[in-house]
Amino acid sequence: MKLILVLLCLISTLFVVKGGLSPTEQQIIVSYHNKWRSSPIGPTPSTTIPALKWNATIAAALQSSLDKCDGKFSTMSQYGTNSEWQSWWTPNTYFNLNATLDNIQKGASFYDWNAKGCNSSANYNCQLWTYAVWSKSTSYGCAKTICPDKSEVSCSYYPAGGFKGVLPYTPKTTTPAPTTPAPTTPKPTTPAPTTPKPTTPAPTTPKPTTPAPTTPKPTTPAPTTPKPTTPAPTTPAPTSTLTVDWTSYQTPIRDQGQCGSCWAFASSAALESRYLIKYGTAQKSTLQLSNQNAVNCIASGCNGGWSGNYFNFFKTPGIAYEKDDPYKAVTGTSCITTSSVARFKYTNYGYTEKTKAALLAELKKGPVTIAVYVDSAFQNYKSGIYNSATKYTGINHLVLLVGYDQATDAYKIKNSWGSWWGESGYMRITASNDNLAIFAYNSYYPTF
């Protein structure tokens, strides 16, 4: 059984890698697991959850698998004997073991004890937490490796657990209340796996809370964004009344890493592309807005967010450029809204009605951020037009809609999982149905 804490990144195995947990790191992992099982977050167990035993054989097998740097789970997970999670940090220097384990611990509050599974607002760590406290698992092993562009840590539990519909342990009371009510605002973070089979559990993706922030007033006038001197190009005419493709106005594909910041990446990408459409593509390869600025300033940060909050928050102060506030894939404590250097400015933002016609009408003007539901099939997408076999009603991920092809009735989206994923970072999705729940919520766009 397997679950991805963050989406996998394929990488060449031709590079030299170094791996292995230090004794201190192993002890940190053991201490966290002992605490989780001796004093679990949630209802009191009817009997004490036995401590997990460190299994050197599992740890060695996991280490061997991680050192390949191929983004695959170990054969223990593939054969369904073990539950397994992976977490990676990029670049390598950002690796933080305590932060990884703290994020898993936070997942406990998203477990619904009545529904016997992670609730509809589930943070992507919820399922991982069930692996760690699964009372029938008896042993585990963990490993760490350093690949050329990432540090990765993983733990594997035997026997496998974390099945939806089965409690991780038996509570002392028979009718515990859910620990977290379903939110009333959309929150893109990770849901429970859709299939409780030990061989093919669905990975999860981050899903955040979205409180409406107030817009801080800058203490000093923010410089305006300089306009390029090159004239705006003529917008290419669509090949049909509805077909449109803004791919040529996209800045490079980004990678959000472990942080649940899809909302920031989609929103920044919308600003970048609409700016290039209006003012020309002279800055196409260099224009990069600071997603870290958004993660630091908007509530929940790496635990998720919403495009409407992003556009509302930065409408007055503008957002920083990447070079002035580089991405670290962790929620920082410093929210910068004023600066002596220029900040990127836009005029306003809007949203579409929850219909295909309204979305396509706005798409003719430029890319739009949309919310979708991500499951394991979505995460494993390689190419072609994706058609979800399951119809979902909730969402857990934000992407940028950049095109629509009327001949095939398919959307084209820009993701934030790196250029290795999908069709060089992009994906085509059938528009013949709404199985990914695109129209469950409004879609957002900035204006200049």
Side-chain angles (χ1 to χ4, degrees), residues 37 47 72 86 103 116 127 132-133 142 146-147 156 160 184 192 239 243 250 286 312 360 366 379 392 403:
R37 294 173 76 90
T47 59
K72 296 180 181 179
Q86 295 180 356
N103 281 334
K116 298 181 180 180
Q127 193 68 24
V133 299
C142 303
I146 300 175
C147 301
S156 189
T184 56
T239 57
T243 296
Q250 297 305 307
T286 58
N312 183 63
L360 293 181
Q379 291 187 355
Y392 295 102

Side-chain angles (χ1 to χ4, degrees), residues 3 16 18 38 43 55 75 93 96 149 174 195 212 216 228 319 358-359 361 400 442:
L3 189 73
V16 175
K18 298 181 291 183
S38 63
N55 189 313
T75 55
T93 53
N96 187 321
D149 66 347
T174 56
T195 306
I319 188 164
L359 181 61
L400 185 68
N442 302 104

Side-chain angles (χ1 to χ4, degrees), residues 199-213:
T199 56
T200 57
T204 59
T205 334
K207 186 173 186 178
T209 56
T210 58

Side-chain angles (χ1 to χ4, degrees), residues 11 13 18 25 47 51 55 91-92 103 108 124 159 169 190 259 274 277 282 299 323 326 350 358 393 397-398 431 433:
I11 191 167
T13 59
K18 298 181 291 183
E25 290 172 328
T47 59
N55 189 313
N92 297 323
N103 281 334
Y124 59 93
Y169 62 84
T190 311
C259 175
R274 289 225 174 192
I277 291 169
K323 63 182 177 62
T393 57
H397 189 53
L398 276 172
N433 60 55

Side-chain angles (χ1 to χ4, degrees), residues 337-367:
T337 55
T338 60
S339 176
S340 59
V341 297
R343 293 174 67 84
F344 184 91
K345 292 296 194 71
Y346 53 99
T347 304
N348 208 334
Y349 69 98
Y351 61 87
T352 68
E353 295 302 318
K354 296 179 284 186
T355 67
K356 181 178 178 180
L359 181 61
L360 293 181
E362 185 57 41
L363 182 62
K364 295 298 288 285
K365 303 174 186 177

Side-chain angles (χ1 to χ4, degrees), residues 118-129:
C118 298
N119 64 28
S120 58
S121 65
N123 179 278
Y124 59 93
N125 307 305
C126 174
Q127 193 68 24
L128 279 61
W129 172 79

